[in-house]
Amino acid sequence: MTATAAAASKGRSTGLLSLFTLGAMPSKAVRGGLQVASLLVPLLLWTTIASLGLVDEKFLPSPQAVFRSLASMAESGILFQDIVASTGRVFGGFLLATLLAVPIGICMGVYPAICALCEPLIAMLRYMPAAAFIPLLIIYLGIGEEPKIALIFLGTIYFNILMVMDAVKFVPIELIETTLTLGGRSRQVLVQVVARYSLPSIIDTLRINIATSWNLVVVAELVAAEVGLGKRIQLAQRFFRTDQIFAELIVLGLIGFAIDMGFRLLLRQSCKWAV
Amino acid sequence: MELIVENLSKRFGEKLILDHLSFSMHSGDFMALVGSSGSGKSTILRLIAGLDQPSSGSITVDGTPVSGPGPDRGMVFQKYSLYPWLNAAENVAFGMRLQRMKAAQIKERTAYFLEVVGLSDAATKLPRELSGGMQQRVAIARALATNPSILLLDEPFGALDLQIRESMQDFLLKLWQRTGLTVLLITHDVEEALVLAQRVHVLAPNPGRIIRSLDIDLDKTNLDQLRLSSAFLSMRRSLSATMRELEPALCLVKPC
Ligand SMILES: Nc1ncnc2c1ncn2[C@@H]1O[C@H](COP(=O)(O)OP(=O)(O)OP(=O)(O)O)[C@@H](O)[C@H]1O
Ligand SMILES: [Mg+2]
């Protein structure tokens, strides 16, 4: 039997087990079904447990209760206000971190001297938990928006820098040298070749790291805030409103998921050559 | 144009890689440097391109010492040298863009050089949609488009399989005959050097130095005939013998 025939007959071997053959790719329909199940199964489980009354409703509210509280928060405008406040902080802090991290990361990736100068410091700073800076930030910046944005900035910039730096190291040296022999100057090489070549990895880096800023915004709001999804969760705890906590958690998850998809879409649109 | 390489030496750390190399080229020359792997071929080309600095000796183009890379010395690497996010035409235009040529002129020259390398139909294809041979032709067109006075080729066909390699050799020879380019080709393939170049230098390794130079005056109107002609075959035998004598592997057979 030829190798392809062997592979074909293997692929045909039916049953669940064939899904776990290494390198095997289930059909699009199968994958879609599994993806839907990934969300649907936990939801069904939750509904069943809640409707059977296995757990006190104070601790595990039913999906209906959560949905009702979501609807009432949406109606009163609180939800919208919270979302705007939290996403504003996330985008503000993360945008600042990105604007600084991308050029620094590129320079560190390209110039060994700059890398040697910055890497030890950054490697140490990134192990200082961002949340530990909160007291200091409140002392320095008060309790307005600034400390929250600064916290997200501090919590994401180091990872952004290091991951951009790593991405840049994958730019083939031949591509840089070709550009030089075509008459490219340093700036042209950095912007038009190094940054451009690394763009897909940079977008992916941002996609992964923005998740951290969602963690931090909630932490920041738990400490000191008037509005925001994290703040609402804390208030809900005070009034034992687990339904509200669940609703806010689901909103956090959905927004995060949407941002993730947004980055994936951006990657697919701007870097067709790489996907 | 006159390229003069004089007493060129290069060390990496303690190790001497190139030892007092001298040769010169004039406009319209096609010269080949043949040597085994590690004999310092790429190093020579990088020095001429200005991507590395000599340890001693000099390289001058029209009397001016080479001090860094520039578009007057176009370079084509063995691989990985097309911009993957640009299509063939945009790749060809890239060097001209870097030099801020006028848009109309860029457009015209891009079309012309794509035509020269026979890829007008592939203008809008991304590099990954092109075969290895087509990619190297785009790279050559891109280097030519910035109007270099010499084209430096570092084993440009080394990654291609034999058949495509031969057709690329035909292509390069015709290109040279048609345009009067100045070409410095580096290769480890004796046949490739003989087919293409007017003058061939053989490089011995450890340290890299020229041990034999010969002028090739063969009739190159038909390459298929040339490859089978007795004059060609005897030159090839002789050059191959020279190369084999340099092969360190022989030391394993002979006690040394
Ligand atoms: N940047 C460098 N630092 C240290 N040694 C180097 C460097 N570049 C090249 N060398 C050494 O110089 C020698 C010649 O390298 P070079 O790449 O010029 O050889 P080559 O003839 O082009 O070989 P190949 O056919 O494999 O491409 C090799 O022994 C290599 O290890
Ligand atoms: Mg080489």
Side-chain angles (χ1 to χ4, degrees):
Chain A
M1 199 161 38
T2 64
T4 48
S9 81
K10 214 174 177 185
R12 244 182 280 123
S13 75
T14 47
L16 267 178
L17 269 181
S18 70
L19 291 178
F20 299 100
T21 315
L22 285 178
M25 188 53 144
S27 72
K28 215 171 168 179
V30 173
R31 271 181 294 149
L34 290 171
Q35 281 165 343
V36 171
S38 153
L39 294 176
L40 214 56
V41 171
L43 184 65
L44 278 176
L45 218 60
W46 178 20
T47 314
T48 316
I49 293 173
S51 63
L52 292 179
L54 294 177
V55 182
D56 184 349
E57 199 175 346
K58 274 211 151 101
F59 295 103
L60 185 73
S62 68
Q64 298 89 318
V66 169
F67 185 79
R68 270 197 304 276
S69 113
L70 196 61
S72 84
M73 281 194 294
E75 215 169 314
S76 66
I78 294 176
L79 186 64
F80 184 70
Q81 210 180 15
D82 286 344
I83 290 176
V84 169
S86 295
T87 47
R89 288 162 190 154
V90 164
F91 279 107
F94 195 71
L95 189 72
L96 279 181
T98 304
L99 287 180
L100 260 143
V102 171
I104 294 176
I106 288 177
C107 287
M108 284 174 67
V110 173
Y111 300 111
I114 297 184
C115 183
L117 183 68
C118 303
E119 201 180 10
L121 176 68
I122 292 176
M124 191 182 73
L125 284 174
R126 87 173 152 148
Y127 277 109
M128 298 182 184
F133 282 87
I134 293 177
L136 209 51
L137 290 175
I138 290 178
I139 293 174
Y140 290 164
L141 301 169
I143 53 166
E145 292 303 308
E146 295 88 349
K148 299 178 191 71
I149 290 174
L151 177 70
I152 290 163
F153 174 82
L154 282 179
T156 52
I157 186 166
Y158 306 122
F159 282 91
N160 272 346
I161 289 177
L162 294 175
M163 287 166 79
V164 169
M165 177 181 89
D166 276 342
V168 162
K169 288 187 174 154
F170 283 97
V171 180
I173 186 73
E174 289 88 347
L175 218 52
I176 296 175
E177 292 185 335
T178 298
T179 313
L180 291 172
T181 63
L182 287 170
R185 294 158 212 277
S186 308
R187 230 184 81 94
Q188 290 174 316
V189 172
L190 289 186
V191 176
Q192 296 186 40
V193 177
V194 175
R196 191 66 184 79
Y197 187 95
S198 329
L199 188 61
S201 328
I202 291 176
I203 293 178
D204 226 34
T205 294
L206 300 181
R207 180 178 72 80
I208 291 164
N209 286 346
I210 200 168
T212 307
S213 56
W214 275 105
N215 282 323
L216 291 174
V217 79
V218 171
V219 174
E221 289 171 356
L222 290 179
V223 175
E226 297 298 313
V227 286
L229 295 163
K231 179 67 191 176
R232 197 68 49 203
I233 288 178
Q234 196 196 25
L235 288 177
Q237 179 224 333
R238 229 178 269 163
F239 299 104
F240 223 99
R241 292 288 302 274
T242 48
D243 55 334
Q244 245 181 35
I245 295 181
F246 270 65
E248 299 277 348
L249 283 174
I250 290 173
V251 169
L252 277 169
L254 285 177
I255 296 176
F257 189 64
I259 291 174
D260 202 87
M261 297 306 277
F263 273 110
R264 283 175 202 267
L265 197 69
L266 179 69
L267 180 63
R268 224 170 306 147
Q269 289 305 313
S270 63
C271 304
K272 288 205 171 73
W273 55 277
V275 288
Chain B
M1 197 278 313
E2 192 177 38
L3 168 75
I4 300 178
V5 174
E6 221 172 357
N7 286 323
L8 180 66
S9 297
K10 177 70 183 172
R11 290 172 182 280
F12 283 114
E14 283 298 289
K15 202 173 164 215
L16 186 61
I17 303 295
L18 296 176
D19 188 15
H20 289 89
L21 236 70
S22 298
F23 61 85
S24 66
M25 289 181 71
H26 294 89
S27 283
D29 285 355
F30 196 136
M31 183 185 278
L33 290 170
V34 204
S36 53
S37 185
S39 55
K41 304 185 297 292
S42 298
T43 305
I44 297 174
L45 223 56
R46 295 174 56 80
L47 290 169
I48 297 175
L51 294 168
D52 250 323
Q53 302 303 316
S55 302
S56 67
S58 73
I59 304 170
T60 57
V61 177
D62 290 331
T64 320
V66 165
S67 63
D72 57 320
R73 283 149 291 135
M75 177 121 170
V76 175
F77 291 90
Q78 186 169 347
K79 51 182 177 178
Y80 304 127
S81 68
L82 292 187
Y83 305 105
W85 60 94
L86 299 178
N87 67 30
E90 290 163 340
N91 262 286
V92 174
F94 196 81
M96 299 187 279
R97 290 241 161 80
L98 290 176
Q99 290 169 45
R100 308 197 197 298
M101 244 183 234
K102 290 214 171 63
Q105 199 186 359
I106 292 178
K107 206 173 155 203
E108 189 186 320
R109 288 175 69 86
T110 300
Y112 173 74
F113 283 103
L114 276 176
E115 160 94 60
V116 165
V117 298
L119 288 175
S120 300
D121 293 339
T124 59
K125 290 220 163 89
L126 286 177
R128 66 169 182 204
E129 301 171 298
L130 299 173
S131 70
M134 289 160 106
Q135 291 186 19
Q136 285 306 68
R137 280 189 279 163
V138 174
I140 291 172
R142 182 179 57 190
L144 292 179
T146 57
N147 203 16
S149 50
I150 183 170
L151 191 59
L152 307 170
L153 305 175
D154 189 356
E155 306 207 35
F157 312 139
L160 308 177
D161 57 42
L162 187 64
Q163 213 152 15
I164 297 172
R165 201 148 85 203
E166 287 193 353
S167 78
M168 288 296 288
Q169 289 165 2
D170 293 1
F171 154 78
L172 183 59
L173 187 68
K174 295 233 174 62
L175 186 71
W176 173 68
Q177 287 165 342
R178 224 170 88 194
T179 56
L181 284 170
T182 314
V183 184
L184 177 54
L185 170 77
I186 278 189
T187 178
H188 61 258
D189 181 352
V190 169
E191 174 164 331
E192 185 165 277
L194 284 176
V195 166
L196 292 171
Q198 299 169 297
R199 192 167 170 75
V200 175
H201 296 292
V202 180
L203 219 58
N206 301 318
R209 62 206 185 275
I210 293 174
I211 52 153
R212 192 175 163 192
S213 307
L214 64 167
D215 290 308
I216 318 291
D217 40 8
L218 298 165
D219 174 18
K220 292 186 177 169
T221 40
N222 183 331
L223 286 188
D224 290 331
Q225 257 171 36
L226 172 73
R227 286 192 179 98
L228 298 172
S229 71
S230 61
F232 175 81
L233 289 175
S234 79
M235 269 188 167
R236 190 181 125 174
R237 237 187 330 268
S238 154
L239 267 187
S240 299
T242 307
M243 297 271 292
R244 249 197 317 278
E245 276 165 29
L246 302 168
E247 204 57 61
L250 283 183
C251 290
L252 300 176
V253 185
K254 285 188 296 188
C256 65

